Amino acid sequence: MSQLPPRNKPLKSQIKAGQGSFSVENVIPRIERTFLAVGTTIGKYRIQEEIDRGGMAVVYRALQLDLDREVALKVLPANITINRRFVDRFLAEAHAVARLSHPNIVSIHEVAMEDNVYFLAMDYIPGRNLYYHLHFGKPKLADVLEIAATLADALGYAHRQKIVHRDLKLNNVIMRDDKIPVLIDFGLAKALEGDAGTITQTGEIVGSPAYMAPERILGHDSDGRSDICSLGIMLYEMLTFKNPYLDPRSIHQTTMNVLECDPIAPRKLVPWLSPEIEAVTLKAMHADPEYRYQTMEEFAADIRCYQQGKTVSARNPSVWWRLGRFASRNWTWMTIFTLIIAFSALFGASVYLQSRKERPRWKLAFQENFDETNAGGEWGLYPEDTSWQTRNGAFSPRTDKFSFARLEKTFSRDIMIEFDIHPRGDGMYDAGFFMYGNEPDSAYRFYVLKDGKPGGIAYPRSDLLFRDSEPTTFPVADSYHVVVKRNEKATTLSINNKIIGVFWDFFPLLGKSHQKVGFFAKGASCTFDNLRVYRLTLPQLSSPTMVADRLWERGDFDAAMDEYNALLIDFPGTESDKVMKLRIAECQVRQGQMGAAREILSGLEGAGEIPDHLRPQIAFLKGIVQVTTRGVLSSFPHFGAAAKIARYHPVNHTSVAFLTMYAEDALNAGDFETAKEIASFCTDTYPLHRSLIGKIDCRLLSRLYSNRAYDQVLEHARKMETVYAKEPSVLAESRWHAGMALLSKREDRQALDKFNQSIASNAQGEQVWRSWMTLGKVYETNYRHRDAHGIYSKVYTECPKGSPVRWLARVNMAVIGRFLDDVEPMDDVLREVASAPVPFSFPRTLARYYGGGIPEEEFVRRCRLLGIGDDKTQEHIARHASIHGDHERAKDILRDVRSRTPFYTWEYVRLEHALKNTEQW
């Protein structure tokens, strides 16, 4: 919702533009009230006592003689019959109101006249009016809101019957038994205005100006929105115990307050009042009918939303609105201030335009909306020309196998890419964008999802994902707008305006084989659309090294070095001289000339005055030389020197990323000792990047567990307790691995303690929910179905929607629920997960398979696409068989999987328990 607009400025001008001067008169002294003594009989009613006096009538408690019941008798002025048209109109409207039937609107039994006196017989409602209830009963906020919502419901009903109250105020509401509000005097205000004109004609106000909408005072046409304004003023008074416009000294000043003044914000009078209720109240009583609630139903709905803890539609006035109001009241000095600002802006603009010539800017270099029938000649499709297609205005893969579409244009400088990706079917598997490579494996890869889980950034020839945000915060939506921006050394991945990851690369991919971009996908489960590629343009005032830099970006290193060497003559001893020498050394490293590069870098280190921002880059490049020539362990002194020189320099991020990937390579090769040395060096050298370094140690724990080296898992996990004491996500994962090792050692009690410690490490981390799920599996294995169901329910309820773990927990709830009596039916839960609006494919696929929605062959195919092992897939097939009553087949499958499972592991124990009691799976 937009902010509330300012009150209508023309209100004051409308007053002054009237015929003659504006004045307000109280017409009450002109009314000749009718007074009836106790015991008087009028019609079929006998007066028992006077119970209230209004401005124009007297209300009595009377006995209806023919039905022997008490009624409220409202006796109108005796001189009301002077205007016959007024009488006819009053009678017509009174009869219309008498047809209303609502528990919160007083019922009118009869409208009659006797001895030239008009009277109305209504229900007699024992109780005091809302004004006295407010000031003497002191209702709580919840009660005030319920009263306002109830009155709004009643008025909404009346408005639908074409009846408008027009005289709402606290005195016109009776609290039945001090609990239920009942509207009285319904429709009389409209009738009493008669046909004699409006305020602009007579200058008279009939009713209560302090509760009137401005348009009624001005005599404009009014409708149900006038009642909304009056009810909003009543709510304001009930909240603050103060009428926002009433001036008890003068009815004229009260009227001018309604027309010209903004009410004091309720929270200034009642500081503890919530902003939502303040916004609802101010919107209801807004001076302009167009910006109020348009119906009583909307007003009541917003109050109900607040009561239920939901978002209300009303918004408080914005800062810009307040500034506009301030400026309109202080226009003289604001004009002077504006002129000063204008001249300052002109001066600043001239400076900006000059500086802009020195800066590059983003310019659209390519766009594709995929509106044509096929992708055309601008795309290379792999593995074959028919693997991708353009259909229905979107670009999508046609094969389940891994494939990619490469844009056959070259981009050698900084670029920014944005596109839309839409999941379809059962969700996405692998999908994303690659940049600076002829194929995804040799390029930077930006995953929206990887293996059906939230993605991140992958370096060339590495499956290790880098991300800065927690996977549970993945922005779940129907479609995703992806932005990848490379600017100088930093590359950022954003999905739906949420930054997923940022990485710094001080040794970027360059050369002719690293100048392409494109899409990749696995599973044919998404479509791409609205591709935009922006290029960072050259500045108008270019640097002297611009030509050499462009050659370096394109990978023409020999020509770039020639240009740099030629420029060295013109800038001897300057900072530019050192920058160009560093760039020459990098070109030599890329061409394998390690000795020449080492000589230049050593010369730079001994050259005396070196800018601080260049020192860590020189040390980093020497580390790259050592990695290339003597192995990764020999590079530690140089990478460590870079970190020591500048602890916060982004080059350290590149060093950590490279070392992490080298450790991953060592783990893949089974060289655990090298991985441990890299991890130990990184934790000592880069304390600011321990959350990233923790990936190495956690991968090491995973490999040790896979090799059944449980004691080594526990020993390394204990060391990690100290090193990563301030990294909750790493602690949670290390404790989970320790718990799994203890389970496999049949030390169940200690394992449960470790899982609980993992859960306590971090309130919302992905690994925490994994530990919860493992606890549920432990209880499920021990046939404690109630406990397991409770844990899965907690994960489903509290785990963020951005995690697939939440939906896997929901599937487990369905399966476990078969053994419990007081839970949701399994089929209903499975259908819910299968149709959930999330892109995570495995939970939806599993739900559909368990529910009989897809055949076994299709399920196996999808599991292989997601990289799920064959044994794990067979376990799901066995569970499916058990769910559908084929217990013998389930046992056969489980025995087969058990035969391939290492003895005395947690997985073996689970299979043993499942075989003993397959019917209770």
Side-chain angles (χ1 to χ4, degrees):
M1 289 291 296
S2 61
Q3 300 287 348
L4 288 179
R7 295 168 59 95
N8 265 353
K9 292 184 179 179
L11 287 177
K12 188 173 182 179
S13 62
Q14 291 172 9
I15 299 170
K16 295 181 177 179
Q19 300 172 358
S21 62
F22 177 82
S23 65
V24 178
E25 294 183 55
N26 191 346
V27 300
I28 293 176
R30 302 181 185 183
I31 301 300
E32 298 178 3
R33 298 184 185 86
T34 300
F35 297 96
L36 301 176
V38 174
T40 303
T41 300
I42 179 171
K44 51 188 176 184
Y45 305 97
R46 178 182 297 144
I47 303 300
Q48 294 182 327
E49 67 172 326
E50 180 182 319
I51 57 176
D52 195 11
R53 289 173 178 262
M56 299 180 191
V58 182
V59 182
Y60 300 92
R61 180 167 64 86
L63 179 66
Q64 185 176 347
L65 299 175
D66 58 342
L67 297 179
D68 193 25
R69 66 176 177 183
E70 287 187 333
V71 297
L73 205 66
K74 184 161 189 174
V75 181
L76 302 180
N79 62 349
I80 197 173
T81 57
I82 296 174
N83 188 329
R84 188 61 213 171
R85 293 180 61 191
F86 176 88
V87 172
D88 293 340
R89 180 177 176 184
F90 161 71
L91 291 173
E93 293 194 6
H95 284 296
V97 174
R99 292 195 299 270
L100 296 178
S101 177
H102 192 278
N104 300 107
I105 298 175
V106 67
S107 296
I108 297 178
H109 302 309
E110 183 180 6
V111 180
M113 181 189 73
E114 183 170 301
D115 296 331
N116 206 32
V117 175
Y118 280 90
F119 59 88
L120 293 91
M122 304 173 286
D123 280 342
Y124 173 68
I125 304 171
R128 54 190 174 185
N129 65 36
L130 185 53
Y131 178 85
Y132 287 102
H133 180 71
L134 174 66
H135 288 276
F136 295 100
K138 308 292 184 184
K140 299 178 181 178
L141 174 62
D143 297 330
V144 167
L145 295 179
E146 187 58 33
I147 290 171
T150 301
L151 292 176
D153 290 337
L155 288 163
Y157 162 76
H159 290 175
R160 293 193 296 273
Q161 308 304 317
K162 310 301 183 184
I163 300 296
V164 181
H165 196 292
R166 298 195 180 188
D167 193 19
L168 287 173
K169 55 186 176 183
L170 296 180
N171 287 354
N172 281 348
V173 177
I174 299 295
M175 296 300 297
R176 189 197 303 271
D177 301 326
D178 282 344
K179 294 180 180 180
I180 303 172
V182 180
L183 283 163
I184 62 173
D185 277 359
F186 209 98
L188 297 184
K190 179 175 180 181
L192 290 173
E193 285 180 1
D195 61 351
T198 64
I199 189 67
T200 57
Q201 294 172 321
T202 67
E204 297 177 351
I205 298 176
V206 177
S208 305
Y211 295 94
M212 280 188 183
E215 66 270 17
R216 284 208 56 229
I217 294 179
L218 290 171
H220 294 171
D221 291 337
S222 59
D223 51 27
R225 293 176 294 181
S226 298
D227 279 354
I228 293 173
C229 182
S230 299
L231 185 56
I233 296 171
M234 292 169 61
L235 176 58
Y236 183 105
E237 186 170 350
M238 288 191 286
L239 293 171
T240 65
F241 290 85
K242 176 180 174 60
N243 187 288
Y245 304 120
L246 178 64
D247 189 330
R249 300 168 299 176
S250 168
I251 189 174
H252 183 277
Q253 185 58 49
T254 296
T255 305
M256 298 305 295
N257 289 344
V258 173
L259 295 175
E260 290 193 321
C261 296
D262 294 324
I264 298 173
R267 296 184 73 211
K268 290 186 177 180
L269 301 175
V270 186
W272 51 263
L273 198 63
S274 70
E276 292 84 356
I277 288 301
E278 179 182 72
V280 168
T281 306
L282 293 178
K283 180 175 180 178
M285 58 189 292
H286 199 282
D288 191 335
E290 296 298 323
Y291 296 105
R292 297 177 200 147
Y293 294 103
Q294 297 302 295
T295 65
M296 280 291 181
E297 287 78 7
E298 292 181 14
F299 189 9
D302 246 9
I303 297 177
R304 304 284 188 210
C305 285
Y306 175 80
Q307 291 174 315
Q308 297 167 11
K310 299 178 182 177
T311 303
V312 301
S313 64
R315 295 292 182 270
N316 274 321
S318 66
V319 174
W320 291 109
W321 177 82
R322 299 180 188 277
L323 289 175
R325 293 286 291 173
F326 177 80
S328 66
R329 295 172 178 174
N330 302 272
W331 65 272
T332 304
W333 70 267
M334 285 295 295
T335 302
I336 299 173
F337 179 75
T338 302
L339 289 174
I340 295 174
I341 292 295
F343 283 114
S344 301
L346 288 174
F347 175 76
S350 63
V351 174
Y352 169 75
L353 291 174
Q354 181 66 22
S355 64
R356 187 178 179 184
K357 295 178 180 179
E358 303 173 5
R359 298 197 312 267
R361 63 183 186 277
W362 295 110
K363 181 179 180 181
L364 184 64
F366 177 80
Q367 65 176 345
E368 177 64 77
N369 294 327
F370 302 104
D371 294 330
E372 302 296 331
T373 304
N374 53 64
E378 294 179 317
W379 293 89
L381 309 179
Y382 302 90
E384 65 274 340
D385 291 342
T386 60
S387 60
W388 287 65
Q389 66 178 349
T390 303
R391 185 177 181 184
N392 297 327
F395 197 36
S396 60
R398 300 178 62 182
T399 175
D400 287 342
K401 299 178 181 179
F402 183 85
S403 63
F404 64 93
R406 186 180 67 203
L407 182 60
E408 300 298 351
K409 290 180 174 292
T410 59
F411 300 95
S412 59
R413 68 183 67 158
D414 290 344
I415 59 175
M416 178 171 66
I417 300 103
E418 60 179 353
F419 61 91
D420 296 326
I421 182 169
H422 308 275
R424 65 182 188 184
D426 283 333
M428 294 189 291
Y429 297 84
D430 287 357
F433 192 85
F434 68 91
M435 184 171 69
Y436 298 134
N438 287 339
E439 58 183 22
D441 190 51
S442 63
Y444 302 113
R445 301 186 303 286
F446 304 90
Y447 287 91
V448 179
L449 288 185
K450 179 171 173 47
D451 297 330
K453 302 174 184 177
I457 304 170
Y459 277 75
R461 296 180 176 84
S462 173
D463 288 330
L464 195 63
L465 286 186
F466 295 88
R467 56 182 301 139
D468 296 313
S469 62
E470 185 65 39
T472 55
T473 63
F474 181 79
V476 174
D478 294 333
S479 64
Y480 299 93
H481 183 71
V482 183
V483 178
V484 178
K485 180 168 67 174
R486 168 69 180 266
N487 191 356
E488 294 184 351
K489 306 295 185 183
T491 303
T492 304
L493 168 64
S494 299
I495 300 177
N496 286 0
N497 296 320
K498 178 179 181 57
I499 295 179
I500 302 300
V502 179
F503 74 87
W504 294 79
D505 194 348
F506 281 78
F507 198 75
L509 301 174
L510 297 174
K512 293 183 178 180
S513 60
H514 298 288
Q515 297 180 351
K516 301 294 176 65
V517 300
F519 301 116
F520 63 85
K522 179 181 179 182
S525 54
C526 59
T527 60
F528 299 86
D529 200 2
N530 301 321
L531 174 65
R532 302 287 185 275
V533 181
Y534 298 87
R535 186 181 62 180
L536 201 60
T537 61
L538 299 176
Q540 296 181 20
L541 299 178
S542 58
S543 69
T545 63
M546 183 187 69
V547 174
D549 292 341
R550 299 290 82 78
L551 292 170
W552 172 78
E553 287 175 349
R554 292 201 301 264
D556 194 348
F557 302 121
D558 286 330
M561 285 190 291
D562 290 341
E563 287 290 332
Y564 287 129
N565 281 314
L567 291 170
L568 288 175
I569 302 174
D570 300 325
F571 302 94
T574 64
E575 180 178 338
S576 297
D577 172 87
K578 297 174 176 58
V579 170
M580 288 186 287
K581 287 180 178 178
L582 182 61
R583 189 58 61 82
I584 290 171
E586 182 183 333
C587 291
Q588 291 171 337
V589 171
R590 292 180 182 276
Q591 291 191 312
Q593 302 172 20
M594 301 302 173
R598 188 181 291 110
E599 183 177 349
I600 291 179
L601 294 172
S602 299
L604 283 172
E605 284 186 328
E609 291 295 330
I610 299 292
D612 290 340
H613 68 92
L614 290 182
R615 288 183 178 276
Q617 296 184 53
I618 294 170
F620 167 77
L621 200 55
K622 292 186 73 173
I624 294 296
V625 172
Q626 288 298 111
V627 169
T628 306
T629 56
R630 299 180 183 178
V632 64
L633 299 182
S634 67
S635 67
F636 289 173
H638 303 290
F639 287 140
K644 186 177 181 180
I645 293 168
R647 183 181 182 185
Y648 298 99
H649 198 286
V651 74
N652 295 320
H653 184 280
T654 307
S655 301
V656 172
F658 278 18
L659 291 171
T660 301
M661 289 187 291
Y662 290 134
E664 179 72 7
D665 293 340
L667 288 174
N668 291 336
D671 187 357
F672 294 163
E673 292 304 317
T674 298
K676 287 181 181 179
E677 290 190 50
I678 294 175
S680 177
F681 167 76
C682 288
T683 53
D684 293 339
T685 309
Y686 306 104
L688 299 178
H689 298 86
R690 283 187 177 171
S691 60
L692 179 59
I693 300 165
K695 292 179 178 292
I696 305 174
D697 280 313
C698 290
R699 291 287 183 108
L700 177 59
L701 289 177
S702 179
R703 297 302 173 87
L704 290 172
Y705 179 81
S706 298
N707 289 350
R708 301 193 294 283
Y710 304 130
D711 290 334
Q712 294 184 48
V713 170
L714 295 172
E715 179 184 358
H716 196 68
R718 278 193 294 270
K719 294 179 181 178
M720 292 175 65
E721 290 280 338
T722 303
V723 176
Y724 299 102
K726 296 183 179 180
E727 298 298 332
S729 60
V730 180
L731 273 181
E733 187 164 358
S734 67
R735 289 167 175 171
W736 178 83
H737 280 291
M740 293 301 295
L742 289 168
L743 276 180
S744 295
K745 294 182 67 175
R746 303 303 300 274
E747 298 176 14
D748 293 0
R749 183 176 297 276
Q750 294 89 330
L752 293 178
D753 289 342
K754 278 297 177 183
F755 293 135
N756 286 321
Q757 291 174 22
S758 174
I759 290 168
S761 301
N762 182 2
Q764 290 297 327
E766 176 79 10
Q767 192 55 49
V768 168
W769 303 110
R770 187 178 176 186
S771 296
W772 276 113
M773 291 290 285
T774 305
L775 278 176
K777 281 291 184 184
V778 171
Y779 290 138
E780 183 179 347
T781 300
N782 293 323
Y783 313 122
R784 295 170 59 180
H785 297 132
R786 177 70 62 182
D787 293 334
H789 188 276
I791 287 180
Y792 294 143
S793 178
K794 176 182 177 62
V795 175
Y796 173 69
T797 304
E798 299 181 14
C799 181
K801 293 183 179 179
S803 173
V805 174
R806 167 191 172 96
W807 305 100
L808 288 172
R810 188 64 168 158
V811 173
N812 287 347
M813 285 175 63
V815 176
I816 294 297
R818 295 181 301 139
F819 309 117
L820 305 174
D821 297 329
D822 53 347
V823 298
E824 302 164 271
M826 181 185 69
D827 291 341
D828 292 348
V829 177
L830 293 177
R831 278 193 296 269
E832 174 193 335
V833 177
S835 59
V838 292
F840 310 126
S841 55
F842 184 63
R844 296 176 63 179
T845 297
L846 195 60
R848 290 187 63 190
Y849 177 58
Y850 283 168
I854 57 175
E856 182 176 313
E857 296 77 8
E858 176 66 14
F859 175 72
V860 172
R861 184 186 70 84
R862 295 186 185 186
C863 287
R864 288 174 178 169
L865 283 173
L866 288 167
I868 297 173
D870 291 339
D871 285 348
K872 197 67 178 177
T873 301
Q874 289 300 311
E875 284 190 50
H876 288 300
I877 293 173
R879 172 172 281 194
H880 173 272
S882 180
I883 289 172
H884 293 277
D886 192 352
H887 302 304
E888 291 303 319
R889 185 179 182 225
K891 291 179 181 179
D892 291 340
I893 294 173
L894 290 174
R895 291 190 188 98
D896 183 56
V897 175
R898 185 187 61 177
S899 67
R900 296 189 296 273
T901 302
F903 182 71
Y904 215 72
T905 62
W906 160 242
E907 289 78 10
Y908 192 92
V909 172
R910 284 197 306 106
L911 294 169
E912 280 288 325
H913 279 259
L915 277 169
K916 288 178 181 178
N917 196 348
T918 303
E919 287 82 359
Q920 291 193 24
W921 240 33

